[in-house]
Amino acid sequence: MIKTENLTKVFRTDEVETTALNNVTFEVKQGEFVAIMGPSGCGKSTLLNILGLLDNPTSGKYLFMSEDVSALSEKQRARHRKGNIGFVFQNFNLIDELNVFENVELPLIYLGVKSSERKKRVEEALEQMKIAHRRKHFPMQLSGGQQQRVAVARAVVSNPKLILADEPTGNLDSAHGEEVMNLLEDLNRNGTTLIIVTHSVRDADYAQRIVRLFDGQIINENIKGKVKEVII
């Protein structure tokens, strides 16, 4: 599903040049659950943004579903994201003025799904995430764990092929964090490809494979106990 070759991202200002990613090459197969780990500033979120088609690399190649998407315009990236990629963020990114139902419905409106079908799919997603009883509540009326369940429902309502989660339990206590990770694990068991960025060893342990970054480079990959060292 995903393949990168020598992916590099450089941020430049008038005085400073920062290499966030340096020749990153790896693959994610359809149906995999991959965790990306590393210290702050190592390039994890930059990599996730590129994989999610929120940004382009400076150089290198990125193949998404066998298509080279390395140099697409923002409009082209948005078209590829729609219906294919769902996002879960650490800070939930819910819209305060919309209730739970409306927040989850929003991606389907962007996709042009008819009203009756939207209602059906939103209700199914809310039931799946065990948050249907809060459908008329607003984000500020929910706990952190409930808000993250709404965010996951919003990510899955369009039946995306790929879900990207950036520190999905970072603002949650351990009990709510475990709930969210179990929900993500269930989605993966049902066939959704899942990539998470995390500092949490506990969260990474849910994944089938752990990719470790340091200074913008992959230093090793751990496949359920088997460590593959990467020569830099």
Side-chain angles (χ1 to χ4, degrees), residues 10-20:
V10 179
F11 294 101
R12 294 184 176 93
T13 65
D14 291 339
E15 298 179 354
V16 179
E17 179 175 291
T18 303
T19 301

Side-chain angles (χ1 to χ4, degrees), residues 108-196:
L108 300 180
I109 294 174
Y110 290 148
L111 288 171
V113 177
K114 292 182 179 179
S115 178
S116 58
E117 177 65 13
R118 291 202 307 267
K119 185 176 186 301
K120 175 176 176 290
R121 287 167 67 170
V122 172
E123 293 289 355
E124 288 175 350
L126 293 177
E127 289 289 348
Q128 185 180 12
M129 296 302 129
K130 302 178 178 63
I131 197 69
H133 61 295
R134 298 287 192 179
R135 61 171 61 80
K136 292 185 178 180
H137 287 70
F138 289 86
M140 296 303 290
Q141 297 173 302
L142 305 177
S143 69
Q146 289 171 334
Q147 288 189 60
Q148 195 62 297
R149 276 188 273 165
V150 175
V152 175
R154 181 185 57 191
V156 305
V157 73
S158 59
N159 298 319
K161 298 176 177 64
L162 171 67
I163 290 180
L164 302 175
D166 193 353
E167 299 285 0
T169 69
N171 284 333
L172 305 178
D173 60 35
S174 59
H176 286 122
E178 187 174 356
E179 279 183 15
V180 168
M181 290 307 303
N182 285 334
L183 291 171
L184 292 174
E185 187 178 42
D186 286 344
L187 291 171
N188 176 250
R189 284 199 190 103
N190 290 324
T192 303
T193 306
L194 185 61
I195 302 175
I196 68 167

